[in-house]
Amino acid sequence: MRQVGAVVEYQLTGFLRVWRGTVFGAVLMPVVFFLAIGVSVGMLVDGRHGVDGGYASFVGAGLAVFVGAQIGLMESGIPVFAALNWHRAFIANQYTPVSPAHVVTGQIAFITLRAAASATIFLAVMAAFGATHSPGAVLLPLIAALTAASLAGLNFAVAASARTSFQVESVTKMLTTVLLLVSGVFFPVTLLPSWLEAVTWVSPLWHAVELGRAANTGTGSTGPVLVHVGVLVACTLAGVLLATRRLTARLES
Amino acid sequence: MPHPPAVRATGLVKTYGTSTVVDGIDFEIHPGEFVGFLGPNGAGKSTTMRMIGSVTRRSGGDLAVLGLDPSTDGPAVRSRLGVCPQDDLLDIELSSLQNLTTYARYFGISRTESRSRALELLDYMSLSDRAQDRVASLSGGMRRRLTIARALVNRPDVVLLDEPTTGLDPQARHLVWERLYALRDSGTTVVLTTHFMDEAEQLCDRLLVVDKGTVVASGAPRELIDRYASSEVVEVRLTHGRPAEWAARLDGLGERTEVLPDRVLVYAQDGDAVAAALERLGLDVSSVLVRRSSLEDVFLRLTGRALVEA
Ligand SMILES: Nc1ncnc2c1ncn2[C@@H]1O[C@H](COP(=O)(O)OP(=O)(O)OP(=O)(O)O)[C@@H](O)[C@H]1O
Ligand SMILES: [Mg+2]
């Protein structure tokens, strides 16, 4: 635990030197999406296609969660590859009592903290535009953090095994795009063809988005909520295990 | 009284795929000893250091570091080691100070203690004025000193230094030597690799000469010189021609000759006698230097010319 804390601290030290450069991608972009799509398109489509509580809040909850997904994927991709192949901090860490499992856990813990922080800012913007509908909306940053954790491990494993940064970038972008499309961030997945709707069930982001909407509207029922949380926690644990195995293998090669 | 060795290797082997880079070496390093690994590029020094440092798994043989097996007690071993790897592996985005403090935290050292040790070590390595600078802005030699400082942050029992002084200017090298003497005086076990013969000769109690993954000789620097080099060497340079062309004409003058790119070394018990005989040959000599043999001569003898080409 102490070792994981040290890894988080190291990540934070680096982040505090560069955070300004990350604000645009991590926070401003989703806010722009929210204003451009949620607020403006919302004026056109409100009350149609079973979108509860207004389109802005529908998209807002989806994007708040997507903020987490994006950070979860971005920060477990190139930064991990760089720590192995460019500045090689992970190689230097090998000489300390900190193990690959600590490194993976610490890195993912740090990623969830960042996701929660960015989603909190996003939530403030949402609230300012009246897109929050229940006290449950305060859970959105937490859900975004869990979303980040559920995706980071898998991408970490990819980055730890990759030979080139191009591979890492491609996988990160592909996962981000595909997940965005099949997870109902911008529209209800019930509008998808039924075979594609089935695909959404295996997307951790879809479970997270459902959870986020339930929190925002205060309409979640216990059964589905438990399933969604269960899927996200399971993905997180599986991701940490997979990433630890890949990192261990990479460091021993 | 018998102390358990700080490091004991028996039949230590490391293979990568089909190539064997450490080929069954045996050695013991005693607590408080200052031991140097010497050998040409690719001899397996760094690989051996990484196995001791418990970051690379051995492929065969036995290894005990501080009485523990690195392959099963890695974290416990590493918590008591200080390692300066051949590559600096510093985080160039962080400041010098942050590199030391974040590393110290990985050893479970408290935040305040990490900071005070870091400041102390920066001072120790004459880097105090660069404490807040990003590592990216430091020179190569400064980074090297910072890497050595980092190796000491956990007050290790055994320090492993892989070419610690490569890239240092003469002042900095002497500073590091002084610090390493002080470490030894404090009872720390020091293991280093170096390509500087003067460094090996001055710092090390004992040397292990490795070549192609095996230990080809070991002993105190003076012992090695006595054992493997004649007492004197005559360095001969001619005005014309490459040494390889005329070296054969010096055969028989001494016990052995070594041909270097710019000169030929003639090994003998009596250098002056060789110089006199040389004069009688009537060669077009540009310089003749008689000197005592050194560790470098031991090297050329034991590992061929590989080290010179490096
Ligand atoms: N990860 C690796 N995979 C494959 N071969 C390796 C690996 N690491 C080292 N080797 C090989 O092992 C041999 C010994 O390398 P090592 O780094 O131990 O040499 P060294 O004695 O430290 O040399 P130098 O003086 O150049 O630092 C070399 O032939 C090298 O190519
Ligand atoms: Mg080496």
Side-chain angles (χ1 to χ4, degrees):
Chain A
M1 206 50 219
R2 200 194 60 210
Q3 291 96 325
V4 173
V7 174
V8 173
E9 214 173 296
Y10 165 70
Q11 297 286 341
L12 193 63
T13 309
F15 177 69
L16 290 177
R17 293 185 79 104
V18 301
W19 69 270
R20 284 173 203 84
T22 68
V23 171
F24 182 78
V27 182
L28 285 183
M29 273 292 281
V31 167
V32 167
F33 267 113
F34 171 65
L35 298 179
I37 299 176
V39 177
S40 64
V41 177
M43 293 173 188
L44 299 173
V45 302
D46 264 354
R48 294 159 66 181
H49 304 299
V51 170
D52 297 332
Y55 188 66
S57 70
F58 177 86
V59 167
L63 279 172
V65 170
F66 181 67
V67 165
Q70 203 188 10
I71 291 177
L73 290 170
M74 290 275 287
E75 297 304 315
S76 58
I78 289 296
V80 167
F81 186 82
L84 280 167
N85 302 286
W86 295 340
H87 62 79
R88 300 201 287 162
F90 288 174
I91 310 290
N93 295 345
Q94 284 188 280
Y95 292 98
T96 73
V98 167
S99 70
H102 297 135
V103 170
V104 169
T105 315
Q107 177 107 9
I108 293 178
F110 170 72
I111 289 172
T112 62
L113 289 177
R114 274 194 59 188
S118 297
T120 303
I121 299 171
F122 185 86
L123 177 62
V125 176
M126 261 178 81
F129 281 83
T132 50
H133 284 278
S134 92
V138 298
L139 292 174
L140 281 172
L142 211 64
I143 297 167
L146 186 55
T147 312
S150 72
L151 298 172
L154 174 68
N155 205 36
F156 191 123
V158 171
S161 322
R163 281 166 204 271
T164 67
S165 61
F166 178 74
Q167 292 173 340
V168 181
E169 269 169 66
S170 309
V171 170
T172 300
K173 279 184 188 145
M174 189 201 67
L175 282 174
T176 310
T177 315
V178 169
L179 286 174
L180 181 63
L181 292 179
V182 302
S183 301
V185 172
F186 292 113
F187 51 86
V189 293
T190 46
L191 296 182
L192 290 171
S194 53
W195 64 270
L196 200 54
E197 197 187 333
V199 172
T200 65
W201 300 335
V202 298
S203 159
L205 182 56
W206 176 74
H207 291 277
V209 166
E210 288 295 302
L211 209 50
R213 288 210 174 107
N216 190 32
T217 53
T219 56
S221 44
T222 322
V225 164
L226 283 181
V227 171
H228 298 318
V229 172
V231 168
L232 295 175
V233 169
C235 287
T236 303
L237 294 179
V240 167
L241 289 179
L242 186 64
T244 302
R245 281 177 57 170
R246 297 312 310 161
L247 181 63
T248 306
R250 166 65 176 77
L251 290 174
E252 275 175 11
S253 73
Chain B
M1 66 173 220
H3 276 289
V7 184
R8 173 191 275 145
T10 352
L12 189 60
V13 171
K14 181 67 192 179
T15 53
Y16 285 110
T18 53
S19 69
T20 302
V21 301
V22 174
D23 197 1
I25 64 177
D26 304 297
F27 59 86
E28 261 184 32
I29 296 169
H30 305 287
E33 217 182 357
F34 201 129
V35 171
F37 279 93
L38 303 182
N41 291 142
K45 305 180 295 295
S46 296
T47 306
T48 304
M49 295 285 260
R50 282 202 306 273
M51 285 192 280
I52 300 172
S54 91
V55 301
T56 294
R57 254 168 215 285
R58 64 180 185 269
S59 314
D62 281 315
L63 181 63
V65 181
L66 294 161
L68 300 168
D69 182 341
S71 58
T72 53
D73 292 310
V77 170
R78 292 194 295 269
S79 69
R80 294 172 62 191
L81 298 185
V83 182
C84 168
Q86 184 164 2
D87 297 331
D88 294 326
L89 305 173
L90 294 162
D91 190 328
I92 61 167
E93 299 294 336
L94 299 188
S95 70
S96 311
L97 182 63
Q98 286 172 328
N99 262 278
L100 299 186
T101 52
T102 53
Y103 196 78
R105 299 283 292 141
Y106 277 40
F107 287 86
I109 298 164
S110 79
R111 216 163 280 138
T112 39
E113 179 68 12
S114 294
R115 193 180 157 81
S116 77
R117 284 193 197 182
L119 289 169
E120 191 182 300
L121 283 166
L122 286 171
D123 184 46
Y124 201 55
M125 286 293 157
S126 287
L127 288 167
S128 290
D129 53 332
R130 307 305 295 262
Q132 305 298 339
D133 294 353
R134 278 173 78 216
V135 167
S137 74
L138 300 189
S139 76
M142 292 173 190
R143 292 182 198 191
R144 203 69 197 132
R145 268 140 63 200
L146 185 58
T147 309
I148 298 171
R150 188 180 61 181
L152 304 179
V153 85
N154 59 325
R155 310 227 164 111
D157 296 324
V158 178
V159 178
L160 306 175
L161 304 159
D162 200 348
E163 299 191 29
T165 61
T166 296
L168 296 188
D169 65 32
Q171 285 89 334
R173 261 179 91 201
H174 282 104
L175 171 88
V176 169
W177 287 7
E178 217 172 276
R179 300 315 187 219
L180 297 184
Y181 279 130
L183 259 189
R184 189 189 33 192
D185 289 346
S186 73
T188 309
T189 309
V190 185
V191 185
L192 67 70
T193 73
T194 182
H195 289 299
F196 298 113
M197 296 305 127
D198 52 344
E199 183 164 296
E201 201 166 338
Q202 292 198 33
L203 291 177
C204 299
D205 300 322
R206 198 155 57 86
L207 298 171
L208 293 157
V209 183
V210 288
D211 193 16
K212 300 186 184 81
T214 58
V215 176
V216 292
S218 71
R222 203 61 242 172
E223 269 169 42
L224 290 179
I225 296 169
D226 292 344
R227 200 173 336 142
Y228 293 100
S230 57
S231 44
E232 297 192 321
V233 187
V234 186
E235 298 197 4
V236 185
R237 287 182 170 82
L238 292 202
T239 332
H240 303 292
R242 290 157 44 80
E245 294 157 10
W246 48 261
R249 297 168 65 183
L250 306 184
D251 283 350
L253 283 185
E255 295 163 7
R256 215 163 52 79
T257 60
E258 189 80 52
V259 185
L260 302 187
D262 63 329
R263 61 193 189 277
V264 174
L265 308 182
V266 181
Y267 293 94
Q269 291 310 322
D270 183 352
D272 289 328
V274 172
L278 190 65
E279 206 161 316
R280 286 194 293 276
L281 283 177
L283 294 169
D284 195 3
V285 171
S286 80
S287 78
V288 175
L289 173 73
V290 180
R291 59 166 174 83
R292 289 190 48 155
S293 8
S294 68
L295 207 49
E296 186 146 354
D297 301 304
V298 174
F299 248 81
L300 294 171
R301 167 100 188 254
L302 290 173
T303 65
R305 287 197 40 208
L307 207 71
V308 182
E309 284 161 352

